[in-house]
Amino acid sequence: MHIDILTLFPEMFSAYLNESILKRAQESGRVTIHLHNIRDYTTDRHHITDLPPFGGGGGMILKPEPIFAAVEAVLGEPLVVNRLHSSSLIPHPSIILLTPQGRLFNQKVAEELAQHERLLLICGRYEGVDERVREHLVTDEISIGDYVLTGGELAAMVVVDAVTRLLPGVLGAEGAAATDSHATGLLEGPHYTRPETFRGWTVPDLLRSGHQGQIEQWRRQQALRRTWHRRPELLLTAPLTEEDKRFLAQLAAGE
Ligand code: ADE
């Protein structure tokens, strides 16, 4: 997958993207991430990227020209098409604006984005971006939660992280992402590692028993139990087996 990120603050990304799994994913070529400074696409002497809004009101608004110019330069073609114009001439990648007004990001959206060969993320800043970017350039808008950040950079990093770890070969064990919290529609249950006893707290015997079938059943029940206690609304949409339902009925009955 190739990801382009348009931002006024490219330096914000380097520490996060160049460590651990994201670093290895890039080194192995499973993902390439290019950062582009929107300011480089201004054409005026002062490199202005934002101005006060028409009609007054507080805050600054990101101007449309440098954002359009950046996207066109990055994609290598003039862009005259968008989701509103069905006569799309160039098959362009998802052009995603990070904004608190976007659709809410979750594991399902991450899985959907992981199917794309190319993503282009635009980080909003200040009071927002000129509406023409929304209407005529972007194909998708994503929010990482119902709170307002100072810009879309952290949100873009969240999206890049959650999507990259889903790409084939990025996580050590093939399929490791399949049992993650949320990937199964449930929260994951507890995990333990050595030592067996730490400050008098001992790892459950079953996990050291080698009975793989029973361990899997225990894990499933722990996931159900944890989801029931912490995020019961997830149980309404999680795929559940008859056995799961019986276990939840026992929980509900207080057994
Ligand atoms: N920019 C500011 N707040 C944001 C949010 N919650 N999600 C995505 N982008 C943002």
Side-chain angles (χ1 to χ4, degrees):
M1 168 177 282
H2 179 72
I3 305 175
D4 290 291
I5 304 174
L6 274 55
T7 167
L8 284 170
F9 301 98
E11 293 81 20
M12 285 185 178
F13 290 82
S14 53
Y16 195 75
L17 297 184
N18 294 320
E19 295 285 349
S20 184
I21 290 173
L22 293 183
K23 178 184 181 186
R24 286 205 299 279
Q26 291 176 86
E27 284 172 351
S28 66
R30 299 188 198 280
V31 66
T32 48
I33 303 172
H34 287 174
L35 290 155
H36 310 274
N37 192 333
I38 294 170
R39 198 172 297 281
D40 293 343
Y41 297 90
T42 53
T43 51
D44 62 301
R45 205 151 53 93
H46 300 291
H47 303 291
I48 291 172
T49 54
D50 54 291
L51 286 173
F54 274 118
M60 298 291 270
I61 306 298
L62 284 181
K63 286 163 63 59
E65 310 97 301
I67 299 179
F68 271 77
V71 171
E72 288 176 349
V74 165
L75 296 184
E77 300 178 65
L79 261 182
V80 289
V81 290
N82 64 55
R83 61 182 171 194
L84 301 174
H85 299 77
S86 53
S87 60
S88 175
L89 297 175
I90 31 174
H92 57 67
S94 278
I95 303 176
I96 302 168
L97 176 67
L98 283 314
T99 162
Q101 299 177 12
R103 62 181 174 133
L104 265 188
F105 189 63
N106 59 25
Q107 194 65 22
K108 232 184 166 49
V109 177
E111 283 163 12
E112 175 198 318
L113 297 181
Q115 304 305 314
H116 289 67
E117 271 182 19
R118 188 165 187 187
L119 301 176
L120 194 152
L121 307 179
I122 303 175
C123 304
R125 271 266 144 190
Y126 313 119
E127 219 26 55
V129 301
D130 187 285
E131 188 67 14
R132 287 161 291 190
V133 169
R134 273 212 165 86
E135 285 193 345
H136 304 293
L137 185 64
V138 306
T139 60
D140 198 357
E141 298 178 38
I142 286 179
S143 164
I144 60 161
D146 289 339
Y147 41 79
V148 180
L149 303 164
T150 55
E153 283 75 11
L154 273 177
M157 282 188 253
V158 166
V159 169
V160 168
D161 186 304
V163 169
T164 300
R165 64 191 293 288
L166 293 175
L167 300 177
V170 166
L171 293 187
E174 205 59 55
T179 56
D180 283 341
S181 286
H182 298 294
T184 57
L186 301 174
L187 304 182
E188 272 190 284
H191 299 292
Y192 297 89
T193 185
R194 284 199 286 264
E196 247 172 68
T197 302
F198 169 67
R199 297 192 178 180
W201 300 305
T202 307
V203 173
D205 286 340
L206 177 65
L207 293 178
R208 291 175 290 121
S209 68
H211 294 125
Q212 214 48 44
Q214 286 177 37
I215 291 174
E216 291 315 320
Q217 185 190 33
W218 180 87
R219 287 195 170 134
R220 182 74 187 174
Q221 291 180 351
Q222 292 294 319
L224 289 164
R225 186 187 294 274
R226 187 159 281 189
T227 309
W228 164 265
H229 284 301
R230 298 185 182 188
R231 298 288 304 279
E233 80 281 6
L234 295 179
L235 294 170
L236 298 173
T237 48
L240 299 174
T241 64
E242 289 308 311
E243 195 181 336
D244 293 339
K245 289 177 193 166
R246 275 196 298 278
F247 181 73
L248 286 167
Q250 284 171 17
L251 271 185
E255 289 169 28

